[in-house]
Amino acid sequence: MTNPQIDYAALAAQWRAERETTLKASRAELIAQLRALGISEVTAEYEGYGDSGNVENVTVQPAEVKLPEALVTEVGDFAWSLAYHHHPGFENNEGGYGTLTWDIAADSITLDHADRYVECAHSYDEGL
């Protein structure tokens, strides 16, 4: 049985705060690992549509540094989670896509995101 007294705005705010805490912890853990490898920048490209999506590509600078596959996965998961946090539901319908660029030295992240949509112009003329 559902509770009709549920405060959905408060519940959404609680979930957002929990995501922010998780993202902050992941960010701190990842930046330590990336700095230890001498990484200066991370770029992750993501794509979502039709109710699903994924991170298409993770690259680092300097390019000659090869990330362990597990770390590539963790960075991709972080990028997806951060994009989803700022643009929830972007993977639905026509979807959205973007690029996360993380300056590791400055610990500064830029999220360049685009949402797709269908536009429809409708007219109805009767008795012309």
Side-chain angles (χ1 to χ4, degrees):
M1 185 162 107
T2 60
N3 180 352
Q5 301 301 314
I6 293 174
D7 182 346
Y8 289 102
L11 191 57
Q14 176 188 343
W15 289 342
R16 182 169 179 80
E18 289 170 359
R19 282 193 314 270
E20 287 174 356
T21 299
T22 300
L23 284 167
K24 192 176 202 179
S26 295
R27 184 174 182 161
E29 180 182 313
L30 287 172
I31 201 163
Q33 293 179 59
L34 294 166
R35 284 177 174 164
L37 292 171
I39 303 299
S40 61
E41 183 180 90
V42 172
T43 303
E45 299 171 3
Y46 60 90
E47 170 89 16
Y49 56 89
D51 301 334
S52 65
N54 61 342
V55 173
E56 302 290 323
N57 195 23
V58 174
T59 57
V60 297
Q61 293 298 324
E64 58 273 3
V65 177
K66 299 298 178 204
L67 294 183
E69 197 58 40
L71 189 53
V72 171
T73 300
E74 287 181 52
V75 169
D77 290 348
F78 173 75
W80 181 270
S81 295
L82 189 68
Y84 195 87
H85 182 66
H86 289 279
H87 302 279
F90 76 83
E91 80 288 1
N92 293 321
N93 302 319
E94 283 68 45
Y97 61 94
T99 303
L100 176 143
T101 305
W102 190 359
D103 179 332
I104 300 301
D107 188 16
S108 174
I109 295 176
T110 301
L111 191 61
D112 184 4
H113 179 86
D115 287 312
R116 293 187 198 92
Y117 64 94
V118 173
E119 184 175 325
C120 183
H122 178 87
S123 64
Y124 178 79
D125 300 307
E126 186 177 314
L128 299 174

